[in-house]
Amino acid sequence: VQLVESGGGSVQAAGSLKLSCLASGYTSGRRCLGWFRQTPGGEREVVATIYIADDRPSYVDSVKGRFTISKDHAKNTLILEMSSLKPNDTANYYCAAVLGSGGYCYLLQEIFKRWGQGTQVTVS
């Protein structure tokens, strides 16, 4: 599966931004998709994941109520809508996938094996 993120950019605090991830290939065997972020010198952290079979989302506490993960099945696109952005949301945001069968992925970062190249989000 190939993952290509877009939609990053610079925004002022309290603003909104929408990220997209075009997922191509291996369409029948995706278990979960997710968004992660990483700052320079920092560890990568999970932001939100979605279980493909029923679109159930999971969010890290720091983004609950502000971010929404969804999937446009027709366009094979994963979306992250971000609002009430804060400076500490600044990071490189990555899209990732879990392939194969299985249950909910929740916020289990270690099971995500396929990654995109990332898109930068800067909040000032």
Side-chain angles (χ1 to χ4, degrees):
V1 63
Q2 290 77 46
L3 305 167
V4 180
E5 303 93 338
S6 63
S10 297
V11 63
Q12 291 188 338
S16 301
L17 209 57
K18 179 180 176 179
L19 305 183
S20 297
C21 173
L22 178 62
S24 58
Y26 207 64
T27 55
S28 63
R30 300 174 198 164
R31 174 181 163 192
C32 299
L33 293 171
W35 286 99
F36 299 77
R37 64 188 180 186
Q38 186 172 21
T39 57
E43 293 187 358
R44 185 172 60 201
E45 66 166 346
V46 60
V47 175
T49 70
I50 189 166
Y51 185 61
I52 300 303
D54 63 7
D55 286 349
R56 174 175 171 162
S58 295
Y59 298 96
V60 68
D61 285 346
S62 61
V63 307
K64 284 181 179 177
R66 301 189 299 120
F67 290 12
T68 301
I69 188 172
S70 62
K71 190 176 183 305
D72 185 331
H73 293 276
K75 296 181 180 180
N76 254 342
T77 299
L78 179 70
I79 297 166
L80 184 69
E81 296 183 87
M82 306 182 294
S83 62
S84 301
L85 283 161
K86 305 173 182 179
N88 61 6
D89 291 318
T90 295
N92 203 8
Y93 283 70
Y94 297 90
C95 172
V98 179
L99 305 181
S101 60
Y104 294 119
C105 298
Y106 298 111
L107 301 177
L108 298 174
Q109 178 174 180
E110 62 271 17
I111 64 176
F112 284 80
K113 303 297 185 183
R114 303 296 180 99
W115 296 86
Q117 295 301 306
T119 185
Q120 178 67 33
V121 172
T122 302
V123 185
S124 59

